[in-house]
Amino acid sequence: MIGPLDEYPIHQSPLPMARVVSSDRNFYDRSYYNAIETGGDTMLITGFGVYPNLGVTDAFATVRRGDTQRAVRFSDALEQRGLDLAVGGYRIEVIEPLQKLRVICEHDDLSFDLTWEGAHPAVAEQPHTIITKLHRPIIDAQRFAQVGTWSGTLNVDGDDFSIDPSVWCGTRDRSWGIRPVGEADPAGRVADEPSEGFWWLYVPLKFDDYSIIVIVQEEPNGYRTLNDATRVWNDGRVEQLGWPRVHLTYKSGTRIPTALRLELSTPDGKPLEVEVEAGTFIALNAGCGYGGDPDWLHGQWKGRNWSESKLYDLTDPAVAGRIPFGVIDHVGKARCGSDEGWGLFEHGSLGRHDPTGFADWGSVAP
């Protein structure tokens, strides 16, 4: 099992780099990127992952325009872990680690050649852990995040876009560890005693002189299991911004957010308030392979040299009906004092959540 990576002094265990320390089938190593047209209605989300214990590598790209999402995905057998980040017509080139990347997708329906430039230093997020009532970790991951800008070209269904970094910004994260991937595990006891709910908020925002990254995860009763709020300055300074107080406004009759207000505090105890307005969104369970996507999930074995393209009509009742039962990524227009910024407004509210008054899976905002 010795491979090219074993030439480098980067080992973390007495194993070849082709193997990971955990034998959990759900071990993953993934990149996520979004690109947003500030002031516009076009949004791109894309990602690449490897799943060593499933023997799979895959990638996806989804673009929202109007009421449609165009999605393409690629999947293949993972033969060796290495520095070649590619599958099918998709590849990532690391030009300058933690600062500059090139992401390329080649498909007749959706193609791009985009270069990412970090606007502020990448920051390590708090470890992300979810333990089930069976005392099993279904998520046990390390992550880092960064905000930045994009440049290059994009083509969607024959329409060309010039990606200007003065207009197009975005956020990215890298994560690795354990999370549900590939084919589903046998339900077992969980079928009789299912989860009551899941509540998640992830808001990385780009301002001129700094970035603000907030992550909040709560149990159905409101108990907070992940609390991470930081401000990263241009010079690399990282401030912790206390315990975020979250105020969400939902569209009536739904759980789709329209606005967010975060009450934060600086290290010297001064209040810091951030307001975020939700713009266009991409449903992560319609083409992106995240939980609840019936067409394709990350890490699934689809055979060798597999690719697929699909156009999703978000007004189709079959698609619209599942959007509220997944995580949704909105474009976020932000204000912090007199500073204006843009970034990601990611939210998922599934099942019961006492602090917002959702009693069960069918509850919606009044």
Side-chain angles (χ1 to χ4, degrees):
M1 298 183 68
I2 298 299
L5 281 178
D6 292 305
E7 289 280 17
Y8 299 88
I10 55 175
H11 295 84
Q12 298 292 309
S13 68
L15 297 171
M17 291 299 292
R19 288 181 58 190
V20 293
V21 173
S22 173
S23 62
D24 193 315
R25 64 181 295 277
N26 290 311
F27 188 91
Y28 79 105
D29 200 333
R30 182 185 302 157
S31 301
Y32 161 95
Y33 310 90
N34 62 64
I36 62 177
E37 180 188 22
T38 58
D41 63 356
T42 303
M43 182 181 188
L44 163 70
I45 290 179
T46 186
F48 170 84
V50 298
Y51 313 90
N53 294 336
L54 298 177
V56 173
T57 181
D58 55 34
F60 73 93
T62 301
V63 173
R64 166 81 184 262
R65 295 190 301 163
D67 289 327
T68 64
Q69 290 182 186
R70 166 62 69 185
V72 298
R73 38 260 180 161
F74 307 89
S75 182
D76 205 347
L78 176 67
E79 302 292 357
Q80 268 286 356
R81 301 176 75 194
L83 301 179
D84 183 19
L85 310 179
V87 56
Y90 190 98
R91 70 183 186 274
I92 300 171
E93 299 174 2
V94 179
I95 300 171
E96 181 182 346
L98 304 181
Q99 180 59 33
K100 191 173 185 178
L101 307 169
R102 184 183 179 202
V103 186
I104 299 168
C105 179
E106 297 173 340
H107 192 283
D108 290 343
D109 296 334
L110 172 55
S111 63
F112 51 78
D113 187 341
L114 299 174
T115 297
W116 164 269
E117 189 82 33
H120 312 298
V123 62
E125 299 175 351
Q126 293 293 319
H128 185 188
T129 304
I130 297 179
I131 308 295
T132 70
K133 64 177 66 177
L134 305 183
H135 311 293
R136 176 193 174 192
I138 58 170
I139 293 183
D140 186 4
Q142 177 63 61
R143 297 164 47 115
F144 71 76
Q146 189 177 39
V147 304
T149 59
W150 292 99
S151 61
T153 58
L154 167 68
N155 180 282
V156 186
D157 293 319
D159 295 331
D160 291 320
F161 297 81
S162 178
I163 307 303
D164 184 337
S166 67
V167 177
W168 285 78
C169 67
T171 70
R172 74 178 183 115
D173 67 66
R174 282 277 292 112
S175 65
W176 58 95
I178 306 298
R179 70 182 295 163
V181 294
E183 289 70 25
D185 291 331
R189 176 179 162 187
V190 175
D192 289 331
E193 302 175 10
S195 168
E196 292 185 77
F198 172 74
W199 193 93
W200 166 262
L201 179 70
Y202 179 47
V203 189
L205 302 168
K206 175 186 177 296
F207 298 88
D208 287 342
D209 298 323
Y210 55 85
S211 59
I212 290 178
I213 300 171
V214 174
I215 311 174
V216 178
Q217 178 181 285
E218 294 182 351
E219 293 181 349
N221 62 5
Y223 185 86
R224 193 165 290 186
T225 55
L226 180 58
N227 185 87
D228 194 3
T230 55
R231 174 159 56 177
V232 186
W233 293 88
N234 287 350
D235 60 8
R237 287 178 294 135
V238 179
E239 292 180 323
Q240 292 180 308
L241 299 178
W243 186 273
R245 293 176 61 85
V246 177
H247 305 274
L248 277 158
T249 302
Y250 293 98
K251 181 180 178 181
S252 180
T254 76
R255 294 199 194 187
I256 297 177
T258 59
L260 166 69
R261 182 167 58 87
L262 294 167
E263 295 180 21
L264 310 170
S265 59
T266 61
D268 58 4
K270 295 179 180 178
L272 185 71
E273 186 170 281
V274 177
E275 294 182 332
V276 186
E277 176 186 343
T280 192
F281 70 81
I282 286 180
L284 294 185
N285 63 7
C288 297
Y290 288 85
D293 192 331
D295 297 325
W296 171 77
L297 296 172
H298 303 146
Q300 278 188 334
W301 174 244
K302 305 297 285 187
R304 293 178 181 267
N305 302 313
W306 177 84
S307 66
E308 182 181 62
S309 172
K310 188 165 183 177
L311 185 66
Y312 293 85
D313 179 356
L314 301 182
T315 66
D316 180 346
V319 177
R322 72 172 184 260
I323 290 175
F325 296 96
V327 174
I328 302 173
D329 279 8
H330 283 86
V331 171
K333 183 179 180 180
R335 179 175 292 278
C336 181
S338 61
D339 298 335
E340 293 186 351
W342 293 85
L344 178 68
F345 178 2
E346 179 176 278
H347 181 51
S349 178
L350 315 177
R352 174 180 147 230
H353 187 242
D354 297 345
T356 44
F358 296 138
D360 52 34
W361 290 84
S363 298
V364 294

